[in-house]
Amino acid sequence: MKTFWKISTLLLIMSICMSGCFFNKGEKEVLNVSHINILVEAVQPSPATVSIQANFVWFIECSDTWVNVSPTKGSGDKVLEVIVSPNVSLQQRESSFFIIGEQIRQEIRVSQKGEAPVIGLKEKSASIGAVGGEVVAEVSTNVELEVYINALWVTESPLSRTVTTGRRYFVVGPNTDLESRTARVTFRQKNGQLSEEFTITQAGETPSIELAKTAVVIEAEGGLSSVDVYSNIEWEANPSRDWIKIVETKAIETKTCIFSVDPNPRAETRVGIILISKKGTLELGRTVTVTQEPAEPAMSFLPTTINDVPAQGTGALQTRSVTVNANFGWTVDVSSTASWIYDVASDGTACTFRVRANEELLPRTTKLVFKQNNGTFTKEFEITQAGAAPQISILPAQPNMPTLPGAGGSGINNAVLVFVTANIPWE
């Protein structure tokens, strides 16, 4: 490899020496150039050329490194190629190179145009959800930029000033409206005419209804209660029971469902539902369960007792009854009731029964026990039956009594058998 370079250098020296033989040493140097001014673009599409005619050995000297001339030396006539590096500045720049001999130093001036102003966006739009966040715009530019935003809900992040890349960061606030919205960010050349627009589209908030609580417990006495409603749409409340009533409010912005509950007359827990949904529809329905505690058990009878049942009872075709007023469901317990009360029946509002005849002189009393269904409350109802009237009956009857012999006497033939039925002692 070293031998090759030695040979190449020797041949070049010999060529120059031989070329010098074509020119007289004392002859005046003559140089003709096609032009002495060159104007090229910021990014040169192809080399510029300069044609020279010379009668001497020459070489090229450049003022700046961004100008390159080929060849850099030679003799006689030649076409020079001038190549310049891209100009990344907006300003035009000037330089020169020289064609130099022993007697001549010819300047060729080189002018290169500045780069054209440009603002470019990788993407011209971006979308973001209703909650907001960060949006990035990638900008390619060679000019100083000014940024204009036409919406208050978009601001440029301080991060844009700390990065060295072409990224610009924007903070988008939450959108609490149901409708989407659009903002325009304008990148404008400072002290210039260039501009580009970047569009940010933010989705509207999804319609929703949320409740602070989904269950409410109300005392038996009833009263007012409320549930906070978190919603971005107009809503309405509809109760499932008539004992729950929505309280209308005149507030400009309603965020609370206020309702009243009537007193609970029953000794049983009751449950109702309030449906909160999009106004005029059942969409996005949310429910509040309203549970009301029971009232104290209460029961009364009409009549308050039955104490006039005759001794002969009711017979097979008649019944006695008692009307029951209670604020709970009930049943009749006859486990403590005397057997002379029978055919006990009830329909939830009254109790009926039959009474067998009392053959005893003394009146008798028993009870019916009324029990609360699914509860512990009980109440007794008293029934009293009159005693039978004193009575004695003899068989055979007096008109049918047998006649005894006039002689009298003892023995079976002189006796009369009388059967006595009585509810009192007799002799």
Side-chain angles (χ1 to χ4, degrees):
M1 182 63 74
K2 289 182 179 180
T3 303
F4 171 76
W5 287 112
K6 288 179 180 179
I7 294 174
S8 299
T9 305
L10 180 59
L11 290 174
L12 179 60
I13 294 172
M14 290 175 62
S15 174
I16 295 173
C17 292
M18 289 177 65
S19 64
C21 296
F22 294 102
F23 306 105
N24 293 324
K25 188 72 173 175
E27 186 178 3
K28 183 181 178 179
E29 294 181 347
V30 177
L31 175 64
N32 293 315
V33 296
S34 58
H35 47 277
I36 61 172
N37 293 299
I38 300 173
L39 178 62
V40 297
E41 300 295 329
V43 178
Q44 190 181 26
S46 60
T49 60
V50 176
S51 299
I52 65 172
Q53 295 175 335
N55 63 351
F56 57 90
V57 176
W58 49 263
F59 68 92
I60 303 298
E61 180 184 280
C62 294
S63 299
D64 293 289
T65 57
W66 57 272
V67 177
N68 297 280
V69 181
S70 179
T72 58
K73 55 189 172 181
S75 61
D77 300 345
K78 209 70 168 177
V79 176
L80 302 179
E81 290 189 346
V82 182
I83 302 173
V84 296
S85 302
N87 185 4
V88 295
S89 171
L90 297 180
Q91 305 302 317
Q92 182 170 302
R93 61 183 176 178
E94 309 290 335
S95 187
S96 60
F97 67 90
F98 299 88
I99 303 171
I100 301 174
E102 289 184 357
Q103 304 169 4
I104 293 179
R105 181 182 176 85
Q106 175 65 55
E107 181 183 11
I108 308 296
R109 288 183 294 275
V110 179
S111 300
Q112 186 179 23
K113 295 179 181 179
E115 190 176 42
V118 64
I119 301 175
L121 295 174
K122 184 177 180 181
E123 301 289 344
K124 291 200 173 187
S125 63
S127 298
I128 192 169
V131 295
E134 187 178 78
V135 171
V136 180
E138 294 195 28
V139 186
S140 301
T141 186
N142 55 6
V143 299
E144 187 176 357
L145 292 179
E146 294 177 330
V147 179
Y148 299 90
I149 305 171
N150 75 335
L152 295 177
W153 47 274
V154 177
T155 57
E156 188 170 9
S157 168
L159 185 62
S160 290
R161 304 187 188 97
T162 61
V163 295
T164 57
T165 65
R167 291 189 171 191
R168 307 298 284 260
Y169 295 82
F170 299 93
V171 178
V172 180
N175 185 4
T176 57
D177 293 330
L178 297 180
E179 301 296 328
S180 62
R181 59 185 179 180
T182 300
R184 290 191 306 276
V185 179
T186 303
F187 297 97
R188 185 175 298 166
Q189 179 187 4
K190 189 174 183 179
N191 301 321
Q193 301 299 317
L194 287 180
S195 67
E196 281 287 345
E197 281 192 353
F198 181 75
T199 302
I200 299 174
T201 301
Q202 187 177 26
E205 197 172 38
T206 302
S208 66
I209 297 175
E210 298 298 335
L211 305 179
K213 52 188 175 182
T214 58
V216 177
V217 178
I218 306 294
E219 295 181 351
E221 293 79 7
L224 285 176
S225 188
S226 65
V227 173
D228 289 336
V229 181
Y230 307 112
S231 177
N232 56 5
I233 60 173
E234 194 174 359
W235 52 268
E236 63 184 8
N238 292 292
S240 64
R241 298 287 186 267
D242 58 4
W243 48 270
I244 303 174
K245 297 175 178 63
I246 304 300
V247 178
E248 298 296 335
T249 175
K250 295 182 179 180
I252 296 176
E253 185 178 1
T254 303
K255 295 183 179 179
T256 303
C257 174
I258 304 174
F259 58 94
S260 65
V261 177
D262 294 341
N264 186 0
R266 304 284 296 173
E268 296 149 348
T269 299
R270 61 181 179 179
V271 178
I273 298 293
I274 298 176
L275 175 65
I276 299 176
S277 60
K278 181 179 178 182
K279 191 169 184 178
T281 73
L282 297 179
E283 296 176 16
L284 302 173
R286 301 291 183 267
T287 57
V288 180
T289 301
V290 180
T291 302
Q292 188 172 24
E293 295 178 345
E296 291 296 323
M299 176 179 277
S300 63
F301 304 120
L302 187 65
T304 55
T305 61
I306 292 179
N307 54 16
D308 60 348
V309 180
Q312 64 268 25
T314 59
L317 300 179
Q318 294 181 339
T319 60
R320 296 297 298 268
S321 67
V322 54
T323 300
V324 182
N325 295 309
N327 63 355
F328 53 83
W330 51 267
T331 55
V332 182
D333 181 7
V334 295
S335 61
S336 301
T337 305
S339 60
W340 48 271
I341 301 293
Y342 68 107
D343 285 349
V344 178
S346 63
D347 60 4
T349 59
C351 176
T352 60
F353 55 90
R354 289 187 171 87
V355 183
R356 291 186 173 90
N358 184 4
E359 296 179 352
E360 302 294 329
L361 289 177
L362 297 177
R364 55 186 180 181
T365 300
T366 189
K367 61 184 177 181
L368 296 173
V369 179
F370 292 83
K371 289 187 173 182
Q372 180 185 10
N373 294 338
N374 303 316
T376 59
F377 182 88
T378 61
K379 191 168 185 178
E380 296 178 352
F381 181 77
E382 188 176 274
I383 303 169
T384 301
Q385 185 179 25
Q391 55 180 315
I392 297 175
S393 62
I394 301 173
L395 290 176
Q398 188 64 44
N400 300 322
M401 188 70 66
T403 302
L404 296 176
S410 61
I412 189 66
N413 294 323
N414 294 310
V416 175
L417 183 60
V418 177
F419 296 94
V420 180
T421 302
N423 61 3
I424 57 173
W426 57 270
E427 61 183 3

